[in-house]
Amino acid sequence: MGSSNNSPVDAKPTIPASGIEDITHGAGQSSENDVVSEPVNERTHRRTLNSAPIMPTLRHLLKQNHIEAADVTGTGKNGRITKEDVDRILQLRVSSQAESTDNQPIQRTSTPSTAVKASPQKENDDVASTISRGGLAMFRSMTQALTIPHFMYSHEVDLTVLNDVRSSCKASAAASAPSTTLSPLPFVIKALSQAFLIDRRINAHLDTSVSPPQVIIRSRHNFGIAVDSPHGLVVPVIKDVQSLSVATIASEVKRLGLLAREGRLVPENLEGATFTVSNIGSIGGNVVAPIIVPPMVAIVAIGRARHVPVFQTDATGVEHIVKRDQLCMTWSADHRVLDGATIARVAEHTRLLVENVDTWSVALN
């Protein structure tokens, strides 16, 4: 994630107090009796207190969120800045943003996830936008996601057999439902649910509000399916996937996707997710690094299916290059709860289920 500077934060040339006042008030306007001299002195005092070296991870977090070390009151030993100190600043920033949005009249623009103040706009002018109330939910959850130690795992899945099954299902259903379509996504969702049975910790929530933290393993497989809608990214939830057929899952994907695009999702459609599936391949891309939505402990992203050349050995032992259909699945997991071996086992079992979908006993009607 980039290199970190291990030098102390006060290694940079310091600015005299008078220089700070000049910047704050304008040249020639500062004085020792100025009413804002106390906060400036307080900030300078914090700069002195924060002279202890900062951990590289915290230095990166400060830089990523555009926070000056001098603006953080360190509560650690010898005034050292801690993770809790940075989290406190981020929480105050989110709360301030929310209050500003709630108390400010806004006008919607052509971008559904943002809102801007009504003002005359000239050509080539920059536009300052405010995150909408809907966008604030993602803002808060992604800010919280910064506290999760992610690790990634990706693998390829062969869809050749699955696509043959889809073609057979389409042909058999043509007479009764000519418009019926069955994408790979419902099969992958069902395979995930079955694979989770080999390690149920993946379908869990992490509760950090208690000490020690608790991992709550969920018995219901409620899968949030990320949908790109005209109103921004939404994640409706398919409930009880473990009890649904592939055909029923396909119907739910279609129904919830339609509600999302029409802006008709209700809170019940968005609540209770225990795991998230991002079908980023429906837009484009192959390998991505999905971000876990707390309190969940894992997420998987499905890349775009594509044709690839593969070496295959025939019955005589001769190798041939054949065309196969493949997609990439990329997992992100919370390393506080899960390890690489666990994700690898579940991912491998998911791959085997998808590649041998013709052996399933699936009710498609």
Side-chain angles (χ1 to χ4, degrees):
M1 295 297 292
S3 61
S4 300
N5 186 353
N6 293 322
S7 61
V9 295
D10 61 345
K12 298 184 295 184
T14 58
I15 302 175
S18 60
I20 297 175
E21 292 170 357
D22 288 344
I23 294 172
T24 306
H25 302 291
Q29 295 181 12
S30 62
S31 71
E32 60 182 5
N33 296 322
D34 202 305
V35 293
V36 296
S37 59
E38 182 177 351
V40 171
N41 292 336
E42 181 180 332
R43 187 176 187 271
T44 305
H45 180 60
R46 282 200 303 270
R47 185 186 295 275
T48 302
L49 288 179
N50 291 346
S51 60
I54 302 177
M55 294 291 291
T57 53
L58 291 183
R59 188 189 305 280
H60 175 74
L61 187 60
L62 289 171
K63 181 178 179 181
Q64 188 177 40
N65 289 277
H66 307 290
I67 300 173
E68 293 289 340
D71 292 331
V72 183
T73 301
T75 60
K77 185 177 180 180
N78 297 326
R80 183 186 296 270
I81 294 176
T82 67
K83 180 68 167 54
E84 289 73 18
D85 298 330
V86 181
D87 288 342
R88 192 179 307 111
I89 294 290
L90 293 175
Q91 290 170 4
L92 289 173
R93 181 182 292 179
V94 173
S95 300
S96 176
Q97 181 72 44
E99 292 175 2
S100 174
T101 302
D102 291 340
N103 297 327
Q104 195 172 44
I106 58 176
Q107 175 181 337
R108 293 201 176 275
T109 66
S110 58
T111 304
S113 61
T114 60
V116 298
K117 295 181 181 180
S119 60
Q121 181 177 350
K122 299 178 181 179
E123 187 178 357
N124 298 328
D125 278 355
D126 293 336
V127 177
S129 63
T130 302
I131 300 176
S132 68
R133 293 184 182 182
L136 276 176
M138 183 171 67
F139 181 95
R140 294 188 183 103
S141 64
M142 291 300 98
T143 300
Q144 188 179 358
L146 284 173
T147 64
I148 299 176
H150 287 61
F151 76 90
M152 261 63 72
Y153 179 91
S154 64
H155 61 113
E156 300 287 340
V157 179
D158 193 313
L159 296 182
T160 306
V161 173
L162 188 152
N163 285 338
D164 291 341
V165 171
R166 290 173 57 220
S167 298
S168 299
C169 294
K170 183 176 180 180
S172 64
S176 58
S179 61
T180 298
T181 58
L182 197 59
S183 73
L185 181 60
F187 291 95
V188 174
I189 291 173
K190 187 63 179 180
L192 287 167
S193 178
Q194 292 180 318
F196 285 4
L197 297 178
I198 70 174
D199 197 316
R200 298 174 61 223
R201 290 178 300 164
I202 295 183
N203 190 64
H205 285 176
L206 177 61
D207 184 1
T208 58
S209 65
V210 297
S211 183
Q214 293 183 347
V215 178
I216 305 171
I217 298 175
R218 301 298 186 185
S219 59
R220 302 174 65 186
H221 292 184
N222 297 341
F223 287 1
I225 311 300
V227 176
D228 180 40
S229 77
H231 309 279
L233 180 68
V234 291
V235 188
V237 181
I238 301 177
K239 307 289 179 65
D240 297 310
V241 172
Q242 78 282 356
S243 303
L244 304 180
S245 68
V246 172
T248 304
I249 294 171
S251 298
E252 279 294 279
V253 169
K254 182 178 180 180
R255 181 182 72 86
L256 292 171
L258 181 61
L259 291 176
R261 287 186 291 273
E262 294 178 348
R264 296 192 294 115
L265 290 171
V266 297
E268 183 182 355
N269 300 138
L270 303 168
E271 297 171 348
T274 60
F275 183 78
T276 305
V277 179
S278 174
N279 188 25
I280 193 67
S282 62
I283 300 175
N286 187 28
V287 179
V288 298
I291 300 175
I292 302 167
V293 181
M296 289 176 276
V297 298
I299 182 175
V300 69
I302 302 172
R304 169 168 286 181
R306 66 198 193 285
H307 301 306
V308 297
V310 175
F311 284 103
Q312 190 172 55
T313 305
D314 61 20
T316 64
V318 178
E319 283 189 339
H320 302 276
I321 295 179
V322 297
K323 183 177 75 173
R324 307 291 288 183
D325 300 327
Q326 284 189 356
L327 60 74
C328 181
M329 296 180 66
T330 308
W331 304 67
S332 289
D334 188 335
H335 220 325
R336 297 172 297 180
V337 178
L338 303 168
D339 55 39
T342 298
I343 293 296
R345 281 192 293 268
V346 173
E348 178 67 7
H349 195 60
T350 302
R351 181 188 66 79
L352 291 173
L353 288 170
V354 173
E355 293 182 354
N356 296 278
V357 68
D358 55 334
T359 64
W360 296 4
S361 176
V362 180
L364 296 177
N365 295 315

